[in-house]
Structures are given as C-alpha cells and as structure tokens.
Amino acid sequence: MAGEISFFELGVADAEQARTFYGGLFDWAFEPGPSDGGGFAIRTPQVPGGLHGGDAGASPYVFFKVDDIEAALARVLELGGTVEAFDSGADADSTAQFGHFKLCRDNQGSPFGLHQPPPAR
C-alpha cells in the first residue's frame, strides 16, 4: 500500500541534546545514523525516524510511503507539485538500510516527503 506515513525526520540545532530530550520524553531508541554531523536513526514501536543536527528551528519532515519513487515523483509533477533539489548524501549502504527519500511541495507549496522503503530482507 502507498500513502501511509513511513518515516519522519527531526531537524534540530544539536542532535545529542535532542537525543536526550526525545529519548526521555518517548523512550525512543537511537542508533548512529548516516547523516554527517552526528545524526541518529530512531526506532519507535510503529514508524522509524531520523534525527539530524545543524537545522535549528526546522519543522518535522513527514514522509509518505510509495512503492516506486520515480513514478510518484512524476505524478507529483503531473499534479502541479514540485520536487525539491535535495541530496540526502546517502551512500549505497545507507540506501540499502533506509531506502530512497525525496522532498516535494504540493500544488499549493506545502512541503512533504516521499519514501520508498528498502526491499524486505
């Protein structure tokens, strides 16, 4: 199925400080993530997430699951939306672990993300 929330990303000024805060608030588990600058992968009971530093005041990023990211990006454009020039800096290992991500805006300019999860192992 496509369209359900499959990943979230929190951008903060200080990743370590946020790890302490969100870990204490929600009892989330954190693992070192693929981000430069000390980011983390977040393990929650339902939806996986990420945390990266150097992004003070950022709003949370919500990513919707798609089965085929290229087809979904084409559909965004067909419907009048845009695809952001965004490079996650992910290498092959990171992509194999976390999948493909793209940031978009709908036809009114509201931001959202698309996520094609990696194949099940």
Side-chain angles (χ1 to χ4, degrees):
M1 179 177 288
E4 65 268 20
I5 295 174
S6 63
F7 195 87
F8 67 93
E9 180 78 19
L10 301 174
V12 297
D14 183 307
E16 284 291 341
Q17 188 175 353
R19 177 185 184 186
T20 300
F21 178 85
Y22 288 105
L25 182 62
F26 297 124
D27 200 29
W28 288 345
F30 293 80
E31 301 171 3
S35 305
D36 292 337
F40 297 96
I42 303 170
R43 301 288 172 227
T44 75
Q46 301 297 320
V47 178
L51 173 72
H52 66 272
D55 201 358
S59 297
Y61 300 101
V62 177
F63 292 86
F64 298 99
K65 179 183 176 187
V66 296
D67 296 325
D68 179 339
I69 199 152
E70 295 303 324
L73 294 172
R75 188 73 176 133
V76 166
L77 296 173
E78 287 172 18
L79 293 169
T82 60
V83 177
E84 301 288 313
F86 163 72
D87 179 10
S88 67
D91 59 20
D93 290 338
S94 178
T95 299
Q97 184 177 2
F98 298 106
H100 297 277
F101 296 89
K102 279 294 193 179
L103 294 176
C104 302
R105 291 187 179 266
D106 67 19
N107 63 346
Q108 298 180 64
S110 297
F112 67 96
L114 297 177
H115 174 226
Q116 180 182 323
R121 297 180 191 196

